[in-house]
Amino acid sequence: MGIFVERNKLTTLEEAAKIVKDGDIVAVGGGLCLREPIAMLHELIRQGRRNLHIVGTAHGFDVDLACGGGIVGTVEETHVSFEQDFGLAPNYRRACESGAVKIKESCCNTIINQLRAAEFGMPFVPMKSIKGSDEIRFHPEYKEFIDPFTGKRVILVPALEPDVAIIHVNKADVHGNVKIEPPYVADVLFMRASKKVIITTEEILPEEEMKRIGPTIPYYEITAVVHVPFGAHPTSCYPNYAYDRAHIAEYMRAASAGPEVFKNNYLDKYIFGVKSHADYIERIGGEAKMRLLASWKESREKWMELFTYG
Amino acid sequence: MGIFVERNKLTTLEEAAKIVKDGDIVAVGGGLCLREPIAMLHELIRQGRRNLHIVGTAHGFDVDLACGGGIVGTVEETHVSFEQDFGLAPNYRRACESGAVKIKESCCNTIINQLRAAEFGMPFVPMKSIKGSDEIRFHPEYKEFIDPFTGKRVILVPALEPDVAIIHVNKADVHGNVKIEPPYVADVLFMRASKKVIITTEEILPEEEMKRIGPTIPYYEITAVVHVPFGAHPTSCYPNYAYDRAHIAEYMRAASAGPEVFKNNYLDKYIFGVKSHADYIERIGGEAKMRLLASWKESREKWMELFTYG
Amino acid sequence: MVNGFEVGIDELFVVNVARTIKDRSTVFHGVSSPIPMVATYFAKLTHAKDMVYFGGVSSAVDPNPPFLPYTTNDWVMIQGRTAMVTVDKIFDLAQRGELDRSFFSGAQIDKYGNQNVSLIGTPEKCKIKFPGGAGGCNLSADCVNYTIWTTRHRVQRKKDRAIYTLVEKCDFITNIGHVTPYGSRRDLDLVGNGPDWVVTELGVFDFDPETKVMRLRYLYPDTTVETILENTAFRPVIHPDVRIMDMPTKEEIELIRQIDPLKVRQLEFQPEELRRKFYI
Amino acid sequence: MVNGFEVGIDELFVVNVARTIKDRSTVFHGVSSPIPMVATYFAKLTHAKDMVYFGGVSSAVDPNPPFLPYTTNDWVMIQGRTAMVTVDKIFDLAQRGELDRSFFSGAQIDKYGNQNVSLIGTPEKCKIKFPGGAGGCNLSADCVNYTIWTTRHRVQRKKDRAIYTLVEKCDFITNIGHVTPYGSRRDLDLVGNGPDWVVTELGVFDFDPETKVMRLRYLYPDTTVETILENTAFRPVIHPDVRIMDMPTKEEIELIRQIDPLKVRQLEFQPEELRRKFYI
């Protein structure tokens, strides 16, 4: 919710991050190991944002990093892990188990339909599921209701309108027209349901070129545009790069060793100690690394190798 | 609602039309002068289908023809006219004013959200509008409700699940994967919300080619596929053809002159008296006409001419 | 003979409707809306360049149509666009309170701005069927504001009766104005603020802030308060400072002629109205 | 030494899960589901060629991934697809009653098939946090049926306690089985029919039609009813005709190895379980 008509929305990570306020409900784009807005999370961690209420579906690196970086107050995701690859999310678990973050866990279709309600201007929508699950214990706001059309029990879930969505995309123009490659995960929903939308983009296109290819989301939904090549690293942003499994392995070693090690070996090294996103890219391996991560398209074998290195 | 996995769904107009039963709720695709499934309506008229409950948003030629052809029992559209071009819809008005069809008029966002409810498996959704309008007099099924989250008045509208959607599309493969050019109007919603979906298509693509361009709707939503080039005539199916204004003018002359003239001068000539859709195309001007209607892309002047002839 | 550049009633009317559009706003026109179609595109090209322009139900964002067509759902209306959305997204904007303006009309328009586009009679026994409101019932409730227009303000005097478009009370309310028999907009918890301008071929109205009754603000060079009163079945509020509307510039009129070579802007007028000419 | 073609527990397990999939059905596997990921693609290539195959949250329809990856939301999983949908469309199918099967697991699984993927403790005071159910709470309610799988059936005996996965009662119910403290599926007006198969590394279960308690149907060549009872915290129903499961063919196992060169199918197993081999 919010209409943005400025002709040039191009700004810096630093300025764009200021749109996110302490305590905001923040929709974090991408999911699991795909197209998460990591550069923007770095900036929010650097700026010391606090008590963010993070919403999303099935996520991993982003939420774990945000928890480890100390910017999270509430987690309203449906799943946080590194899947079959590295398993449980160390910072996230610690934050939940220490009480540092409030757990408001949800389920994918519930979140999706709460976002849809916000997108559609509906105050709530009915769901046939949820009943019988203890997930209602995370959500005292849900209302039980008898559907007047069928007499059956449904759960009314309220519209979920994030204050800000932060989304990494493939292409954008300075007006804010956005092109995303599938899978969209919940990103299109996030952009339409949120009051403000900050995008980081791999590439800035001329407006005429964007018109030609047809934007996934039109400019008026977008608040700010930041040009951040490799802005999703170490998650993937295909076709540009696969996920950086070696980097995530390094992350996992630091995160699993406890908060102090994580601070010293990861946050200081890759977030607090870097001068810019370009500097970050240098630290994680620079051009050689980015070439390696782009090698997935060369052959099945090269692609498989990216799943085994690290 | 309905999952269709048959590998080859290709059939004839005659067979496909049998999927539509007397009394069915039928979603008719396209809208106003664009991509309406006219060839399928011809077949339903020829087969003498009765008492159909037609749903849609803003329509014109299709609904007027269906009313004139005697197949309609209830109209749940939001608008039926020939717009600024030819104005009021003669057969539709006669049918409403004589009581031959039941008027269940609705509004675009209401219909859209009722279809969404069906698509999403929700029994109903809340709307903030409708209140204050006499459109509730067409819809005793709506329920007033106080939103428990905000305390405000909303209207609960039930899911609308058509028995069959009939949609004309640009491209399909025999498996049922469908490609539509924008604007989609409500067609994608119709295909997802309806129990069965019959499509007529300008073109049949090899499955590999369809994969390459990416279907708008995947095969499992589609019940039957009929190859009918010019199947939307006299409405437009861009990029193949613009609307046939001269033909619509002829139609309007017949329809405005009363039911007998309409039967003799239009239905007999173009529907009951034709042997096949190819025969119909011959009668309306054959290849020369279709070339003319494709001439819109040659220049602005050619395109404008198509809006003035007839 | 009058000297000067000739302006048709249709062109002046388009300008009046365009003036209700603000820059940096979101604007949509519906079906069967030739004048709003021309006015919206005209505004986008002139004083409202940063408008988010939804060019009808074909639902292109900021199209640049090569000409304006006779039907709103034609590929003409998606040419030169910035983006496509599906039409439901426009209705979503409205229910979210983010669609700033649309345009509605009616065979009957009452003093509170309610409009009848549905029928005379009842749903069960319909005497006269109008085309239906398309998106009007929802959008008239949801849009931040909307413009009412009609080119049929002038009463039609038949042998035995007078047929008014501007009536005391609509036989059937399709699109809602400020006050309905079901209550006011506030009573009904509606999203939008209702119609703020009414443009007719005889004058331009807003609504009295107190009574919510239509209030005369501007006249054409060839109309008077008496013209309005004669042709209106209810007693409109007369603004203390009623004046003749400002004339557009020559350049504006030339632009209208350029974007609308098929003259869709004239389709809604009775032939005798089109004889009305103004000079700048 | 045993003669014959060697089959790993991981491969046999994949086949057991694949056998719960019917041809011409709609099937989706969620996140963190390596075995269902392999099993579903395997079924699509063998006995369920007309399955509508949603390959994980990347939500491609009928993909042909060049290999199976370590994360379900990777471009690998959208290669060779027939179509893309957005993931919400899969959940819609489910709530409409049209998603025939999915696959769920849990750190705790109780006798009625309820699963805990959320936490030990309470939402306010969480002792152990699990990853969360992703789509499981909704889909376990909505899917026509679903398969429960776990590779951790075997009890872990620690110094002071025994940790069971198959428990009498879950500490927290994330995904619902047949009967919950809130009522049965019928009481709750749920869309789906609940879990119909439970595949573990020790056996294969369905549910007793009367009591809705897990019922042992098949054993591995190296497990017995006693193995099951020792490793299960509740008393499962024992089907009168419990038998050793049928072995897959050599061709089937070779196909699994071909589609899963990264051996994601092994990731869920404890190293000692992977030593279990079978011969055909």
Side-chain angles (χ1 to χ4, degrees), chain A residues 5 7, chain C residues 18-27 43-52 100-101:
Chain A
V5 300
R7 295 275 173 136
Chain C
R19 284 172 177 161
T20 69
I21 296 171
K22 293 193 188 76
D23 197 10
R24 303 174 63 85
S25 62
T26 51
V27 182
K44 176 74 181 172
L45 296 173
T46 55
H47 68 276
K49 290 196 169 62
D50 284 330
M51 174 207 313
V52 180
D100 292 313
R101 184 165 302 278

Side-chain angles (χ1 to χ4, degrees), chain A residues 1-3 5-7 118-122 175 177 192 210-211 214-215 218-221, chain C residues 24 26 44 49-52 54 61-62 64 80-83 85 89 92-93 95-96 98:
Chain A
M1 178 141 170
I3 296 286
V5 300
E6 293 70 24
R7 295 275 173 136
E119 178 187 349
F120 302 162
M122 294 175 182
H175 200 187
N177 293 294
R192 291 213 170 100
M210 180 59 84
K211 270 192 188 187
Y219 65 88
Y220 55 79
E221 305 273 6
Chain C
R24 303 174 63 85
T26 51
K44 176 74 181 172
K49 290 196 169 62
D50 284 330
M51 174 207 313
V52 180
F54 298 108
V61 179
D62 298 343
N64 279 294
R81 66 188 180 270
T82 294
V85 292
K89 300 304 168 203
D92 292 340
L93 282 190
Q95 191 161 243
R96 278 152 54 185
E98 296 182 330

Side-chain angles (χ1 to χ4, degrees), chain B residues 212-226:
Chain B
R212 201 188 56 74
I213 64 174
T216 315
I217 286 280
Y219 65 88
Y220 55 79
E221 304 274 5
I222 306 299
T223 317
V225 175
V226 190

Side-chain angles (χ1 to χ4, degrees), chain A residues 230-259:
Chain A
F230 314 120
H233 178 274
T235 67
S236 67
C237 185
Y238 288 101
N240 302 47
Y241 45 95
Y243 79 136
D244 185 350
R245 194 169 183 281
H247 184 88
I248 295 173
E250 182 187 342
Y251 173 96
M252 288 300 289
R253 283 192 297 274
S256 303

Side-chain angles (χ1 to χ4, degrees), chain B residues 164-185:
Chain B
V164 193
I166 57 175
I167 315 279
H168 187 70
V169 305
N170 298 87
K171 294 171 180 177
D173 64 25
V174 300
H175 201 188
N177 294 293
V178 164
K179 185 76 176 181
I180 317 184
E181 294 293 332
Y184 298 160
V185 203

